[in-house]
């Protein structure tokens, strides 16, 4: 018998060794699958925890914004950049413009500014992204004019690109 030929016992021994190695590989494979499933479950848990923290932080930030904007006597209007629709207004804004807060939410922020001012404001926002202490003539619900110093800043509100409009009523100064 040549060296390349194997005896029956040697062949059976090698087959047995291969069977043991195959069983070990199957066990290792099962262990890896279990570890992968545990990692996926852990990742899902981490993702859920992170989402909950982000959601909680967002709610807390919104609560702080509302507390501040509803406490200060400054008229504040938040409008979407895409269509100028008002998405938030506080009571001082309602008092200044003459519509209820709910009525303001059905309107555009641009409805209350003089047309000539709107062109200038649009240009300022295009060039520098914000407006600071711009004196403008506004239009109340009863169509009477009012004067205000206007401050506009970009803001993300409810996951939308918005503009925060803060107005300082200048009626006393103008008189």
């Amino acid at each position: 018998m040549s060296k390349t030929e194997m005896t029956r016992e040697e062949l059976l021994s090698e087959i047995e060794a291969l069977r043991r190695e195959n069983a070990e590989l199957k066990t290792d494979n099962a262990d890896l699958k279990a570890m992968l499933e545990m990692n996926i479950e852990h990742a899902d848990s981490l993702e859920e925890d992170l989402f909950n923290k982000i959601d909680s932080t967002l709610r807390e930030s919104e609560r702080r914004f509302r507390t501040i904007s509803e406490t200060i006597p400054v008229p504040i209007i938040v409008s979407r950049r895409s269509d100028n629709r008002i998405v938030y207004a506080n009571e001082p804004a309602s008092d200044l413009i003459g519509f209820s807060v709910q009525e303001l939410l059905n309107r555009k922020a641009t409805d209350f500014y003089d047309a000539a001012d709107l062109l200038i404001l649009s240009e300022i926002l295009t060039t520098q992204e914000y407006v600071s202490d711009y004196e403008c003539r506004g239009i109340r619900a009863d169509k009477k004019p009012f004067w205000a110093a206007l401050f506009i800043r970009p803001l993300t509100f409810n996951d939308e690109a918005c503009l925060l409009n803060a107005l300082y009523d200048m009626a006393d100064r103008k008189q």
Side-chain angles (χ1 to χ4, degrees):
M1 180 159 76
S2 70
K3 288 187 176 183
T4 56
E5 294 179 20
M6 298 178 84
T7 65
R8 179 175 168 79
E9 291 80 29
E10 291 172 331
L11 192 53
L12 289 173
S13 175
E14 186 155 333
I15 289 172
E16 186 57 36
L18 288 172
R19 283 183 180 153
R20 280 191 306 272
E21 188 178 331
N22 188 31
E24 288 174 13
L25 288 173
K26 284 182 179 180
T27 301
D28 289 348
N29 186 30
D31 290 346
L32 286 172
K33 282 183 179 179
M35 285 174 35
L36 181 60
E37 286 177 20
M38 283 186 347
N39 282 338
I40 288 171
E41 288 173 13
H42 183 67
D44 288 346
S45 174
L46 286 175
E47 182 180 8
E48 186 177 338
D49 288 349
L50 183 59
F51 177 78
N52 288 338
K53 284 179 184 175
I54 290 170
D55 189 51
S56 174
T57 301
L58 182 60
R59 276 189 268 114
E60 176 61 21
S61 177
E62 186 173 311
R63 185 193 64 75
R64 272 190 247 133
F65 170 78
R66 287 186 187 279
T67 299
I68 291 168
S69 67
E70 291 171 4
T71 302
I72 62 173
V74 175
I76 294 177
I77 293 173
V78 176
S79 60
R80 280 194 300 257
R81 284 195 105 152
S82 61
D83 61 3
N84 289 312
R85 287 276 173 212
I86 296 172
V87 294
Y88 174 82
N90 65 1
E91 281 299 324
S94 170
D95 295 342
L96 176 66
I97 295 173
F99 283 111
S100 71
V101 169
Q102 200 57 40
E103 290 171 320
L104 286 172
L105 297 179
N106 295 319
R107 301 187 178 278
K108 293 183 177 187
T110 52
D111 291 348
F112 308 108
Y113 301 128
D114 185 71
D117 285 321
L118 284 175
L119 292 173
I120 296 168
L121 290 168
S122 178
E123 186 176 314
I124 293 170
L125 283 169
T126 301
T127 58
Q128 66 186 38
E129 286 287 314
Y130 67 92
V131 173
S132 188
D133 201 20
Y134 177 82
E135 288 188 21
C136 69
R137 194 174 100 164
I139 305 161
R140 295 183 201 277
D142 61 8
K143 303 297 182 207
K144 291 182 182 175
F146 67 90
W147 284 95
L150 181 61
F151 300 81
I152 302 176
R153 293 284 188 273
L155 172 76
T156 300
F157 189 81
N158 293 334
D159 292 329
E160 292 183 287
C162 292
L163 293 172
L164 177 120
N165 297 255
L167 298 107
Y168 174 73
D169 187 358
M170 298 175 53
D172 295 339
R173 275 189 7 196
K174 286 294 182 179
Q175 286 177 347

